[in-house]
C-alpha cells in the first residue's frame, strides 16, 4: 500500500484533540506527546493525525477542511458576544467609582461615563471578542477560572477602548459625519473639539483597567508594552495617511501600492488583528518570539485583507449596513480603489481623476465613482477577495502551529464576504 494511502487510512481513526491542547511542529508532537484530557497517548495520536493530514491531503482539500473548521469556530463568537457586552457595565463601574472618593471631580466622571457609553459600544466588538475567544482556545479549561476569564474580558474591552480612542480622533481629522449608525461624537451639540480631550480620556482608561485587573499577573508588563507599542504603530500609520493625502492638495503620484500597504500595516493591521491575539497569547503564558512572529505573519496579511474590504465598502457598501457614510474620495484618501484605478487608467481617465478626486462636491464624487465602475473595480475587488482568502488559508496551514489554527480561521471566516 502506498505510504500516503496508509497514512490517510490511519488518520481516519485518530481522535482530534481539543483546541487548547499544546501543539508543536507536526513531527514534534510524536517525539514529545501533548496532553489531551490528561492522556499523553491521545495527544500523540492527535499529532500523528495532523501530520497525516498535512502530508496526504491535496492543498485544495486541506483548505476546504480548514474553511469548514473555521466556520465552526466562528460560531464561538456568537456564543461569547452576550458575556462580552454584559461585562461593559463592570468596566464603566471600575472607571467611574473614583467619584465616591473624589467628589470634586464628579462632573468629570459623569462626562467620562457619557463618553464611554457613546463611543465604546455599538460596534461589532470583533477585536475585543478575539481576546476572549483566543484566550479560551489557548488555555486549558481547568485553568479558565472566573478570575482569569474576567481579566480576559477586561483586556478585550481595553482593545475596544483603544479602538474608540482612534475612531474619535480619526473622525475629527477626516471630518466624518456618522459612525456606527449615529452622529460622530465631535458633531454632537456642545462637543466640538472638546472631543480631543474625550479621546485622551478613553486612552487613559486602558491603563487604569490594566493596572486594576492585571497588575499582579506575570504578563502585566508584556500587556503594557504591547498596548503602548501598538498605539505608537497605529499613530505612525495615521501620520503616513495624513501626509500622503493632505486635504486640499491632490498628488496622485503618491498613491502607490507600496505606500498603501505601509499605511494599512501600521494604521490597521497591528491594532485590529495582532494586538488582540498577542494579548491573549501573553495571558496564556505564550511569550516566545517564534510563536509571536508566526502569528504576526498571518495577522498582518489579515489586516490588509480587512482594510481593502473597508476601502471598498466605504464607496460601494450600504450605509444602512455599514453604519457610516463613506468619505474616502472627498478626503483625498490613499485608498485601495484609487491605487487600483491609477494602475489601470488611461491618460484621459487619469485626468478625470485629477480633476475630481479629493473635493467635497457631490457631482465630482459621483464622477470618480463612475470612473471606478467604468474600470470594473467591483469585479477586481471580488477577484482580490477570493485570492486573498485563499492566501490566508495557505498561511494558516503553514504558520499557525503550534497555535490552534481555529483562532485564525474564525477571524478569516468572519472577514470573508463581510458587508460591514
Amino acid at each position: 500500500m502506498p505510504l500516503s494511502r496508509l497514512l490517510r487510512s490511519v488518520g481516519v481513526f485518530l481522535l482530534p484533540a481539543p483546541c487548547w491542547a499544546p501543539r508543536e511542529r507536526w513531527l514534534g508532537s510524536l517525539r514529545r506527546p501533548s496532553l489531551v484530557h490528561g492522556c499523553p497517548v491521545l495527544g500523540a495520536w492527535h499529532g500523528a493525525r495532523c501530520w497525516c493530514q498535512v502530508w496526504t491531503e491535496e492543498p485544495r482539500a486541506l483548505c476546504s477542511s480548514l474553511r469548514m473548521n473555521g466556520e465552526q469556530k466562528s460560531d464561538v463568537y456568537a456564543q461569547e458576544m452576550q458575556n462580552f457586552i454584559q461585562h461593559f457595565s463592570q468596566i464603566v463601574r471600575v472607571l467611574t467609582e473614583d467619584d465616591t472618593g473624589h467628589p470634586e471631580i464628579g462632573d468629570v466622571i459623569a462626562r467620562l461615563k457619557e463618553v464611554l457609553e457613546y463611543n465604546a459600544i455599538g460596534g461589532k466588538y470583533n477585536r475585543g471578542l478575539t481576546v476572549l475567544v483566543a484566550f479560551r482556545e489557548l488555555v486549558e479549561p481547568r485553568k479558565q477560572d472566573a478570575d482569569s476569564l474576567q481579566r480576559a474580558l477586561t483586556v478585550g474591552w481595553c482593545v475596544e477602548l483603544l479602538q474608540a480612542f482612534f475612531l474619535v480622533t480619526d473622525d475629527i481629522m477626516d471630518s466624518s459625519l456618522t459612525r456606527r449608525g449615529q452622529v460622530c461624537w465631535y458633531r454632537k451639540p456642545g462637543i466640538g473639539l472638546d472631543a480631543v480631550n474625550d479621546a485622551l480620556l478613553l486612552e487613559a482608561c486602558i491603563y487604569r483597567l490594566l493596572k486594576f485587573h492585571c497588575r499582579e499577573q506575570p504578563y502585566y508588563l508584556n500587556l503594557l508594552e504591547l498596548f503602548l507599542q501598538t498605539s505608537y504603530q497605529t499613530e505612525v500609520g495615521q501620520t503616513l495617511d495624513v501626509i500622503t493625502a493632505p486635504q486640499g492638495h491632490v498628488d496622485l503620484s503618491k498613491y502607490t501600492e507600496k505606500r498603501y500597504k505601509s499605511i494599512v500595516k501600521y494604521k490597521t493591521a497591528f491594532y485590529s488583528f495582532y494586538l488582540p491575539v498577542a494579548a491573549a497569547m501573553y495571558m496564556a503564558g505564550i511569550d516566545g518570539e517564534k510563536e509571536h512572529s508566526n502569528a504576526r505573519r498571518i495577522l498582518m496579511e489579515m489586516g490588509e485583507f480587512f482594510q481593502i474590504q473597508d476601502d471598498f465598502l466605504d464607496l460601494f457598501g450600504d450605509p444602512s449596513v455599514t453604519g457610516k457614510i463613506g468619505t474616502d474620495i472627498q478626503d483625498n484618501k490613499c485608498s485601495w480603489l484609487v491605487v487600483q484605478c491609477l494602475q489601470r487608467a488611461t491618460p484621459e481617465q487619469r485626468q478625470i481623476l485629477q480633476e475630481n478626486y479629493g473635493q467635497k462636491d457631490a457631482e465630482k464624487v459621483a464622477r470618480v465613482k463612475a470612473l471606478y465602475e467604468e474600470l470594473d473595480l467591483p469585479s477586481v475587488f471580488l477577484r482580490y477577495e477570493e485570492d486573498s482568502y485563499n492566501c490566508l488559508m495557505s498561511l494558516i496551514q503553514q504558520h499557525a502551529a503550534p497555535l490552534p489554527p481555529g483562532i485564525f480561521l474564525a477571524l478569516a471566516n468572519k472577514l470573508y464576504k463581510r458587508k460591514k
Side-chain angles (χ1 to χ4, degrees):
M1 178 183 296
L3 176 61
S4 61
R5 185 178 300 175
L6 173 62
L7 292 174
R8 190 185 292 270
S9 64
V10 171
V12 169
F13 298 99
L14 302 180
L15 298 175
C19 53
W20 52 263
R23 300 179 185 180
E24 299 176 36
R25 290 287 180 182
W26 308 109
L27 286 175
S29 299
L30 294 174
R31 292 194 303 268
R32 186 168 50 167
S34 55
L35 291 176
V36 181
H37 294 305
C39 176
V41 174
L42 291 183
W45 279 114
H46 170 71
R49 182 176 184 270
C50 289
W51 183 78
C52 293
Q53 183 182 39
V54 166
W55 287 103
T56 63
E57 289 197 21
E58 290 293 327
R60 183 170 299 185
L62 180 55
C63 282
S64 175
S65 172
L66 290 172
R67 184 178 298 191
M68 291 174 64
N69 186 33
E71 288 167 354
Q72 293 169 356
K73 295 296 182 185
S74 66
D75 293 340
V76 176
Y77 280 79
Q79 297 167 14
E80 299 289 6
M81 177 71 80
Q82 186 174 1
N83 289 338
F84 188 75
I85 294 175
Q86 288 177 345
H87 191 69
F88 182 68
S89 61
Q90 295 185 44
I91 296 294
V92 174
R93 178 182 57 78
V94 169
L95 292 171
T96 58
E97 60 187 9
D98 270 358
D99 191 19
T100 56
H102 304 279
E104 68 274 16
I105 62 169
D107 291 346
V108 177
I109 298 302
R111 171 67 170 238
L112 173 59
K113 187 173 186 291
E114 183 183 4
V115 170
L116 288 166
E117 292 177 345
Y118 194 91
N119 295 288
I121 60 177
K124 299 183 288 291
Y125 307 114
N126 286 338
R127 295 167 181 83
L129 272 173
T130 296
V131 177
L132 179 61
V133 173
F135 179 81
R136 284 191 178 276
E137 288 271 352
L138 293 169
V139 176
E140 298 179 33
R142 64 185 178 84
K143 295 182 179 179
Q144 294 181 25
D145 57 27
D147 288 342
S148 68
L149 290 173
Q150 284 283 100
R151 287 190 289 271
L153 284 164
T154 298
V155 173
W157 273 107
C158 286
V159 176
E160 290 294 320
L161 291 178
L162 186 66
Q163 160 85 337
F165 161 56
F166 291 147
L167 294 185
V168 170
T169 53
D170 193 60
D171 285 344
I172 296 170
M173 285 183 271
D174 289 348
S175 302
S176 297
L177 302 176
T178 59
R179 172 70 66 180
R180 294 172 172 170
Q182 59 186 2
V183 174
C184 292
W185 175 247
Y186 82 97
R187 291 180 61 86
K188 280 177 61 68
I191 303 297
L193 291 181
D194 291 351
V196 174
N197 191 70
D198 296 330
L200 296 174
L201 282 174
L202 288 168
E203 183 190 30
C205 286
I206 297 166
Y207 301 99
R208 292 183 62 209
L209 287 170
L210 290 177
K211 181 179 179 181
F212 185 86
H213 286 277
C214 303
R215 180 172 44 183
E216 304 301 323
Q217 302 304 312
Y219 50 76
Y220 178 52
L221 180 58
N222 281 331
L223 287 184
L224 286 179
E225 291 181 341
L226 177 65
F227 273 90
L228 288 169
Q229 177 69 5
T230 303
S231 296
Y232 172 71
Q233 289 163 331
T234 308
E235 287 151 13
V236 165
Q238 178 69 0
T239 305
L240 279 171
D241 191 14
V242 169
I243 64 179
T244 301
Q247 293 191 20
H249 179 68
V250 179
D251 183 355
L252 298 181
S253 67
K254 290 185 176 180
Y255 300 150
T256 64
E257 188 165 3
K258 181 178 180 182
R259 174 51 67 98
Y260 176 76
K261 286 177 177 288
S262 296
I263 294 171
V264 170
K265 174 182 176 180
Y266 285 95
K267 185 177 178 179
T268 301
F270 278 115
Y271 96 89
S272 294
F273 291 90
Y274 179 64
L275 169 64
V277 174
M281 290 170 67
Y282 283 130
M283 296 180 77
I286 303 171
D287 56 8
E289 176 54 34
K290 183 176 181 181
E291 289 85 353
H292 279 265
S293 178
N294 283 347
R296 191 160 48 241
R297 183 166 182 177
I298 297 169
L299 295 165
M300 300 306 284
E301 185 73 23
M302 205 173 287
E304 183 176 308
F305 181 33
F306 170 84
Q307 186 58 54
I308 290 173
Q309 288 178 313
D310 237 30
D311 289 355
F312 180 79
L313 293 173
D314 180 87
L315 183 61
F316 292 104
D318 181 351
S320 67
V321 176
T322 63
K324 60 182 179 181
I325 300 171
T327 59
D328 281 358
I329 294 174
Q330 299 94 310
D331 294 338
N332 189 28
K333 289 293 185 181
C334 179
S335 80
W336 182 81
L337 288 168
V338 75
V339 170
Q340 296 300 313
C341 176
L342 287 167
Q343 290 177 355
R344 293 165 171 76
T346 65
E348 293 77 15
Q349 290 170 325
R350 185 184 179 96
Q351 185 60 35
I352 292 172
L353 190 65
Q354 181 71 56
E355 292 170 356
N356 293 277
Y357 201 73
Q359 300 187 49
K360 300 182 187 300
D361 180 311
E363 289 187 7
K364 293 189 175 184
V365 172
R367 187 67 192 92
V368 173
K369 183 176 182 180
L371 177 59
Y372 289 169
E373 290 172 334
E374 184 181 323
L375 292 169
D376 202 19
L377 294 191
S379 295
V380 174
F381 169 76
L382 291 176
R383 289 194 297 272
Y384 162 80
E385 190 172 40
E386 286 297 327
D387 292 344
S388 186
Y389 182 84
N390 290 333
C391 176
L392 279 175
M393 293 297 102
S394 178
L395 282 175
I396 292 168
Q397 177 188 340
Q398 295 173 43
H399 299 289
L403 301 179
I407 294 174
F408 306 106
L409 293 165
L411 283 170
N413 282 286
K414 284 185 73 64
L415 295 180
Y416 184 61
K417 299 292 185 183
R418 71 184 180 96
K419 301 298 181 185
K420 58 186 279 186

